[in-house]
Each structure stands twice: as C-alpha cells, then as structure tokens.
C-alpha cells in the first residue's frame, strides 16, 4: 500500500471506529483541531499512563506535577518565547497560501530521501537474500550523492536559521526550485518570522485585563516550581520532575492529521543534574527513552536518532527520536541538554534564587537540565498508524486489523454469547461484570460471531471471549487472540489471569531491562 493511501486509511479508520473526530465537525470543523472519541480517549489515556509509570513510578528520583496552563506573562519573557518563539513564514503570491519555509526545504529533502529508498528497494529485489543494506548505502555512488545533497541542504538551512539570515532561506528555496505544492507556482514572498504563541487576557474588564499567553510548552511550569518541589520532596541531585498536559501553538501550517496541531498534549520530564555530568546523562536518557519506545513492539527499524544540526544557543547537545510515520521519518521525541539556561533566566527575571545546596560539596550551584519531551498526540499517531493492517487470509478473504499493543488497547476483551437465547447472554454478562473490575471490556450480541470478530479486530481488541452451549455444561469458553486468530477453550475462572498476562504494564515494561 502506498504511503499516501495508508495515511488516508489511517485517518478514515480513526473516525469510523471512534478514535479521532474533526473538532466541531457539524460546523465544518476547525483547522488542525481534533477531538479524541470514545476509543481514542482510552488509547490516549493508556499511552499517558504507560509513560507515567515508566517515567515516574519506576524511578525513585522522579516525581510528577500538574502545573497550570496560565502562567505569569514574565515567564514567557524569561524563557525567550516572547522574543524568539518564531517560525519562518513564506507566502506564495499566486496561490495566496502560507507555508513554513523550513518545512518546504525539509519536504524537498524527504523527496530526495525517497529516491534513496527506491535505490535500496531495487537493489533488494536484484540481490535477494544476499543483499547487504548497510554496505550498499555506504558504497553506492548514487545513494551517497543523494545523501550528500540532503546533508548539504540541511546544514545550510540550519546555519541560516541560526543566524536569522532569512534572505538566504528564500535564496535556498529558489535555488532548489521549490514550488507551491498545490499550484506549482514559484512566485514567493520574502521570508518573515511569525510568533507562535496564542494571546489571551485575564481580568474582569477590558481596561484592567492582564495580557497572558496560552502556554506553548509544559516545561516552564516545571522550571518555576523547581525549588518548591526540591524542598517539599527533599529531593537530591540528580532528580527529575515530570508533567503531562496541554500546550498551544499557532502553527503556520498545521497538517498531517494529529501530527501537528494547534492544541496538543506533551509528556515532558526535566532532569536536574550536577554541572559537568550532562554528557553522561544525555547518553543515559537517549538509551532509556529508546528502550521505552521499543518495549511496545512497533518495530526497531521504525526508529532512528537525528542529531540537531542547529542547536539552541543555550543547549550543548540535542537529538530527536524519529519514527517512520506513513509520511516518512519525523520527530517523535526530543532529548535536549539545556545546561543551566532555564533556571538562570527565571532567577534573573524573578529576582528569586533557584539554586541547589549540595551538602556533599558544601556549595550552592544552579543545576543543569536534561530534558525528554514527547508529543502524546504524535505517539498516538505512531501507535495507531503502525497497528493498522490489511491481511489476506488463507481463504483469500481480507480482514482489517488494528494490532495495537495490548497494554494500550482501549478495550482489552469483548465478550459474546453465541446466540441471544438459552441463558447464554446471562452467562456472558456475568463474565463482563467479573472482568470489568480489572479491565475495560465490551459486550456484543449483534450479528454472527464472525462479524463480531471482524469488528473487534478492526477496533484493536486483543481478546474475544465466546460463550456457547458447552459453557453451560463445563464452565469453559472460547478465547480468541486478535493477532493470530488462534482459538482455545479455557475455564471461565482462568480468564482474568490469561488477559492480565497479555495486557499487564509490568509484562511490557520489563522489555526495557
């Protein structure tokens, strides 16, 4: 299936099976704003819980907070967002469409990368089982030429953005002959900076209201509470503060479904460390976070690190964990060594000391910060798009199946009576009553069992449990596994342990060891 077709099916399936709806759809929607439906809300919650347990519950030196969305406006002056939270904007004079200049260049590079993938695919077909991908990529002249072109373009883009040389960004677009994706026009305006923060007001009247911002990230709520948490929790360096919550950005071009939205949710952890240890902790969190992602079984080949060509002025290291979405490898999580910039900025603007007294050193210092930041909505899309498959079965029929990691699936088991009579529904409903204390379960008695199986396959439910007439005699049921379609008879009393063994968080997180 072509990537574009796959992505269209992902979007369609998300709506059809109650995962994601367009916000305010009956009023023709709101651009780049989405609602999580009944199953989407459960999947999103399960991803959030899986992250929280791995990050907070399993670490003795990491605690969680829930800071307010509204913050004093000076917060955003101190953080640099008021003056520097910008994206480079460019308009096409003919189509009147607006784009992020850097994204246009990155999309151009993605097309060049597509040529690399075509060369690899041709070589794989030609050489078969003897094909050595690593050797081919590192020696093939055409592939090396494409890669050099990508590296040269991205390096120049990064340097131009770092120097705020917007004229060179436009020159690069013109040299590459990048056209408007919709019309093919190359009639571009100059590149301008565009601040991404949403403004609002706080106060009873317009005359006295204070100008505020909707937070563009959750990290600042952690930084301003650093000392409160450290003292009340008696935390010792190194320690971390985690938070999940909504953030808001007035994106120039919000696109690709829930990948880039104007209202989104982040899962962030700021790890406070002794200056001079940042390299050690940067490598630790790179390794730890990648293990967390891989624990979900989405395929090791779907992840890669991308080191930043352009570092923020305060950072001394930064990398992204990229995931292979239907539209290519894109950022899923960022890991950043932020030095002591954040705490020092808030010290300066607030006039309050935000330092740590190290009893072993008998000295105070401003801690350095190592950040891990993942977009919950992007994680949702990574999990959902990776899970959606169309399988051709032995009888030449096809089934649509959503192979969500069982630990994240919204519904863990569906319970069916074979027929709606003879006391079978009563037994099935009692099984639901018993299981729902521990799992989210679903009862369904409509249509033939085969159709019910297909519905639950498409919905991502790991187990289907069928009550039939034999159940009345021997207290056993048929349990069917979504991924293998294997069916076996088990005792009703064993159902809880069977389901738990597959969906338990511990079972999945232990893969990180």
């Amino acid at each position: 299936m072509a990537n574009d077709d796959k992505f269209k099916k992902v979007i369609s399936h998300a709506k059809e099976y109650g995962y994601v709806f367009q916000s305010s759809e009956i009023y023709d929607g709101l651009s780049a704003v989405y609602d999580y439906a009944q199953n989407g809300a459960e999947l999103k919650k399960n991803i959030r819980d899986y992250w929280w347990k791995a990050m907070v519950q399993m670490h003795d030196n990491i605690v969680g907070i829930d800071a307010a969305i509204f913050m004093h406006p000076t917060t955003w002056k101190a953080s640099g967002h008021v003056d520097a939270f910008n994206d480079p904007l460019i308009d096409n004079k003919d189509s009147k469409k607006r784009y992020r200049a850097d994204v246009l260049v990155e999309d151009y590079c993605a097309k060049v990368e597509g040529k690399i993938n075509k060369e690899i695919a041709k070589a794989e077909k030609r050489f078969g089982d003897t094909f050595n991908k690593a050797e081919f990529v590192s020696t093939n002249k055409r592939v090396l030429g494409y890669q050099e072109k990508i590296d040269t373009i991205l390096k120049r883009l990064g340097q131009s953005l770092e120097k705020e040389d917007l004229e060179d960004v436009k020159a690069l677009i013109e040299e590459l002959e990048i056209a408007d994706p919709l019309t093919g026009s190359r009639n571009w305006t100059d590149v301008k900076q565009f601040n991404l923060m949403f403004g609002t007001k706080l106060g009873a009247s317009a005359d006295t209201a204070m100008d505020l911002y909707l937070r563009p990230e959750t990290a600042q709520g952690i930084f301003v509470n650093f000392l409160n948490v450290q003292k009340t929790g008696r935390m010792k360096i190194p320690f971390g503060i985690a938070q999940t919550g909504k953030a808001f950005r007035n994106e120039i071009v919000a696109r690709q479904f829930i990948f880039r939205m104007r209202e989104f949710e982040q899962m962030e952890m700021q790890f406070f460390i002794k200056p001079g240890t940042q390299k050690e902790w940067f490598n630790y969190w790179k390794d730890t976070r990648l293990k967390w992602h891989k624990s979900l079984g989405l395929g090791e080949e779907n992840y890669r690190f991308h080191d930043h060509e352009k570092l923020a002025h305060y950072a001394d290291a930064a990398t992204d964990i990229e995931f292979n979405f239907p539209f290519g490898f894109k950022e899923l999580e960022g890991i950043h060594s932020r030095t002591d910039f954040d705490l020092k900025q808030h010290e300066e603007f607030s006039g309050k000391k935000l330092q740590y007294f190290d009893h072993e050193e008998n000295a105070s210092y401003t801690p350095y910060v190592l950040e891990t930041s993942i977009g919950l909505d992007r994680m949702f899309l990574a999990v959902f798009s990776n899970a959606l498959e169309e399988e051709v079965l032995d009888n030449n029929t096809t089934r649509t199946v959503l192979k969500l990691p069982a630990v994240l699936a919204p519904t863990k088991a569906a319970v069916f009576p074979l027929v709606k009579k003879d006391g079978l529904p009563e037994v099935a409903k009692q099984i639901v009553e018993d299981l729902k204390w521990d799992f989210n379960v679903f009862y369904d008695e409509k249509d033939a069992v085969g159709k019910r199986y297909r519905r639950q396959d498409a919905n991502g439910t790991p187990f289907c449990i069928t009550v039939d007439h034999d159940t009345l005699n021997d207290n056993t049921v048929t349990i069917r596994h979504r991924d293998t379609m294997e069916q076996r008879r088990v005792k009703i009393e064993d159902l809880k342990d069977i389901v738990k063994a597959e969906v338990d968080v511990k079972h999945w997180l232990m893969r990180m060891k």
Side-chain angles (χ1 to χ4, degrees):
M1 189 187 304
N3 285 347
D4 285 348
D5 291 339
K6 170 73 182 284
F7 195 37
K8 288 176 183 176
K9 288 184 181 294
V10 166
I11 296 170
S12 174
H13 197 88
K15 179 180 180 181
E16 183 179 357
Y17 284 88
Y19 279 85
V20 183
F21 298 151
Q22 176 71 54
S23 179
S24 315
E25 188 178 272
I26 62 171
Y27 296 104
D28 297 325
L30 194 60
S31 175
V33 183
Y34 291 90
D35 298 332
Y36 286 89
Q38 64 274 20
N39 287 316
E42 288 289 337
L43 175 56
K44 193 177 183 185
K45 171 185 172 294
N46 291 344
I47 294 172
R48 187 190 300 112
D49 289 348
Y50 191 70
W51 180 87
W52 190 269
K53 286 179 179 179
M55 187 63 77
V56 179
Q57 191 169 322
M58 301 308 295
H59 285 92
D60 296 336
N61 60 344
I62 299 177
V63 295
I65 66 168
D66 184 7
I69 288 173
F70 292 135
M71 301 185 72
H72 192 283
T74 307
T75 301
W76 305 111
K77 187 72 175 174
S79 67
H81 285 82
V82 171
D83 298 319
F85 191 54
N86 304 306
D87 275 343
L89 171 154
I90 192 168
D91 292 329
N92 187 275
K93 295 177 182 178
D94 296 325
S95 70
K96 312 301 181 187
K97 295 293 183 181
R98 177 165 289 175
Y99 299 93
R100 273 182 55 177
D102 57 332
V103 171
L104 287 175
V105 176
E106 288 168 1
D107 285 349
Y108 177 91
C109 291
K111 290 178 182 177
V112 179
E113 188 171 0
K115 294 180 181 179
I116 293 176
N117 292 332
K118 284 184 180 179
E119 293 294 330
I120 293 171
K122 285 192 294 184
E124 282 179 327
K125 188 175 181 180
R126 186 163 66 248
F127 296 110
D129 294 339
T130 63
F131 179 64
N132 185 323
K133 181 178 177 180
E135 182 181 344
F136 179 79
V137 169
S138 62
T139 58
N140 183 271
K141 290 183 179 180
R142 188 169 293 180
V143 169
L144 290 171
Y146 287 142
Q147 190 59 55
E148 184 181 1
K149 184 176 184 179
I150 291 171
D151 294 342
T152 301
I153 291 170
L154 292 180
K155 184 175 181 180
R156 177 177 166 185
L157 176 66
Q159 290 173 341
S160 297
L161 291 174
E162 189 171 6
K163 294 183 293 186
E164 296 193 15
D165 186 353
L166 301 183
E167 288 183 6
D168 189 60
V169 175
K170 182 185 180 183
L172 179 60
I173 289 172
E174 291 176 336
E175 288 170 27
L176 296 174
E177 298 184 340
I178 294 175
D180 182 325
L182 295 177
T183 65
S185 168
R186 295 176 185 156
N187 190 11
W188 298 107
T189 65
D190 291 336
V191 180
K192 300 177 181 177
Q193 292 287 23
F194 177 79
N195 193 283
L196 301 178
M197 284 197 294
F198 283 107
T200 186
K201 290 184 179 292
L202 177 68
S205 69
D207 295 336
T208 60
M210 176 188 288
D211 289 325
L212 294 183
Y213 299 100
L214 296 181
R215 67 182 180 192
E217 64 177 30
T218 57
Q220 300 306 318
I222 293 175
F223 296 134
V224 299
N225 279 299
F226 160 73
L227 212 54
N228 287 334
V229 172
Q230 189 272 317
K231 288 184 175 180
T232 58
R234 296 185 297 163
M235 309 296 292
K236 292 183 178 180
I237 295 284
F239 74 92
I241 303 176
Q243 175 171 221
T244 70
K246 288 290 186 78
F248 307 84
R249 296 181 183 179
N250 191 14
E251 296 281 0
I252 298 169
V253 184
R255 56 180 188 159
Q256 294 171 322
F257 193 34
I258 58 173
F259 180 81
R260 192 182 303 280
M261 297 192 293
R262 293 186 168 95
E263 175 186 339
F264 57 97
E265 192 163 348
Q266 292 180 299
M267 303 186 294
E268 295 196 321
M269 192 278 297
Q270 308 297 329
F271 198 68
F272 299 93
I273 58 178
K274 184 178 179 180
T277 65
Q278 63 268 32
K279 184 176 181 180
E280 167 196 342
W281 285 112
F282 182 72
N283 291 329
Y284 170 84
W285 283 111
K286 276 182 64 176
D287 181 61
T288 300
R289 293 305 303 144
L290 188 60
K291 284 180 179 177
W292 180 86
H293 286 284
K294 289 182 176 180
S295 72
L296 290 168
L298 304 186
E300 292 196 15
E301 71 281 0
N302 288 318
Y303 299 95
R304 71 183 187 190
F305 283 112
H306 174 71
D307 294 331
H308 286 207
E309 287 281 346
K310 174 194 173 187
L311 287 176
H313 64 89
Y314 52 80
D316 60 10
T319 193
D320 296 330
I321 296 175
E322 294 186 333
F323 184 79
N324 191 15
F325 291 94
F327 38 83
F329 276 96
K330 296 287 183 180
E331 177 190 352
L332 180 58
E333 176 164 6
I335 301 166
H336 311 118
S337 178
R338 302 176 66 110
T339 68
D340 57 3
F341 170 80
D342 302 284
L343 294 182
K344 280 192 171 178
Q345 284 292 104
H346 288 301
E347 273 192 328
E348 179 184 337
F349 279 79
S350 68
K352 308 284 174 46
K353 273 197 171 185
L354 296 176
Q355 296 190 339
Y356 173 78
F357 182 76
D358 192 324
H359 290 277
E360 293 180 6
E361 299 279 336
N362 196 31
S364 294
Y365 56 80
T366 303
Y368 275 29
V369 175
L370 205 293
E371 173 184 74
T372 73
S373 177
I374 177 172
L376 175 52
D377 308 274
R378 290 187 180 189
M379 188 66 199
F380 183 110
L381 182 58
V383 169
F384 191 89
S385 62
N386 181 269
L388 186 60
E389 296 182 13
E390 286 190 2
E391 292 183 345
V392 179
L393 305 179
D394 292 341
N395 60 3
N396 289 324
T397 62
T398 61
R399 71 162 181 158
T400 299
V401 56
L402 193 63
K403 293 184 176 180
L404 297 170
V407 68
L408 303 181
T411 303
K412 305 305 185 189
V415 184
F416 311 147
L418 184 65
V419 293
K420 294 188 287 185
K421 60 182 181 180
D422 302 333
L424 302 188
E426 288 77 8
V427 176
K429 288 176 181 177
Q430 184 57 53
I431 291 174
V432 170
E433 285 298 312
D434 292 340
L435 291 180
K436 74 181 184 182
W437 289 95
D438 299 285
F439 315 108
N440 195 4
V441 291
F442 182 78
Y443 174 83
D444 190 4
E445 61 180 25
K446 184 181 179 183
D447 297 325
V449 169
K451 284 188 176 181
R452 284 181 266 176
Y453 282 157
R454 289 292 180 268
R455 277 201 296 270
Q456 295 306 317
D457 287 346
N459 204 47
T461 306
F463 293 106
C464 290
I465 298 163
T466 303
V467 174
D468 56 26
H469 292 93
D470 287 340
T471 306
L472 304 178
N473 299 321
D474 59 14
N475 217 36
T476 66
V477 293
T478 298
I479 187 166
R480 174 185 179 271
H481 197 284
R482 175 198 66 202
D483 296 348
T484 63
M485 296 187 292
E486 176 192 1
Q487 299 184 34
R488 58 192 177 105
R489 297 295 291 190
V490 301
K491 291 185 177 296
I492 291 177
E493 64 196 55
D494 294 335
L495 283 173
K496 177 182 173 181
D497 289 338
I498 292 170
V499 176
K500 182 179 179 182
E502 185 73 20
V503 306
D504 189 58
V505 171
K506 181 179 179 181
H507 165 76
W508 290 80
L509 285 181
M510 285 297 289
R511 299 181 183 192
M512 293 178 62
K513 300 297 184 183

